């Protein structure tokens, strides 16, 4: 019974991950224009300072937008999570 319950939990998590993955792969529907632009620059491996200069905004504003992007894309709280996501999904950011 425990094994059956564990298998069901894994299956439900996979279904949830599949449905979230669709939303995550199309960030343009979730993000504001500035957040989307920042995500594209992150995919190009630009630093926060470089992004701020390119968009004529403060580095602190970029950090706030990065936080919002992570929240909207439901990314884990880990180092470089947004960079990893952006590089992995760079084809969908064009």
């Amino acid at each position: 019974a425990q094994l059956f319950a564990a298998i069901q939990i894994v299956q439900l998590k996979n279904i949830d991950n599949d449905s979230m993955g669709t939303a995550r792969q199309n960030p343009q529907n979730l993000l504001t224009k500035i957040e989307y632009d920042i995500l594209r620059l992150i995919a190009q491996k630009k630093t926060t300072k470089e992004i701020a200069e390119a968009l004529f905004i403060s580095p602190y504003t970029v950090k706030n937008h990065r936080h919002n992007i992570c929240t909207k894309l439901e990314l884990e709280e880990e180092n470089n999570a947004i960079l990893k996501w952006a590089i992995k999904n760079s084809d969908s950011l064009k």
Side-chain angles (χ1 to χ4, degrees):
Q2 289 177 340
L3 178 60
F4 180 73
I7 291 171
Q8 285 184 321
I9 290 171
V10 170
Q11 287 176 333
L12 288 174
K13 285 185 179 181
N14 286 339
I15 290 169
D16 287 344
N17 287 340
D18 289 344
S19 64
M20 285 190 318
T22 303
R24 285 185 185 181
Q25 289 179 6
N26 193 358
Q28 209 164 11
N29 295 337
L30 298 173
L31 306 176
T32 64
K33 180 181 179 341
I34 188 79
E35 290 168 345
Y36 188 76
D37 292 342
I38 289 171
L39 188 59
R40 287 181 42 230
L41 292 169
I42 291 170
Q44 296 171 17
K45 300 181 183 174
K46 302 288 185 189
T47 65
T48 296
K49 183 179 178 183
E50 291 171 332
I51 294 169
E53 290 172 357
L55 299 176
F56 304 103
I57 58 177
S58 160
Y60 297 105
T61 303
V62 174
K63 287 180 183 182
N64 286 333
H65 284 302
R66 289 173 71 108
H67 174 75
N68 293 340
I69 293 166
C70 286
T71 301
K72 289 179 181 181
L73 295 179
E74 301 174 0
L75 299 178
E76 298 294 325
E77 294 290 328
E78 65 179 55
N79 288 339
N80 299 317
I82 193 169
L83 176 62
K84 291 175 188 175
W85 188 95
I87 291 171
K88 181 180 176 185
N89 296 285
S90 62
D91 290 342
S92 66
L93 298 175
K94 298 186 179 182

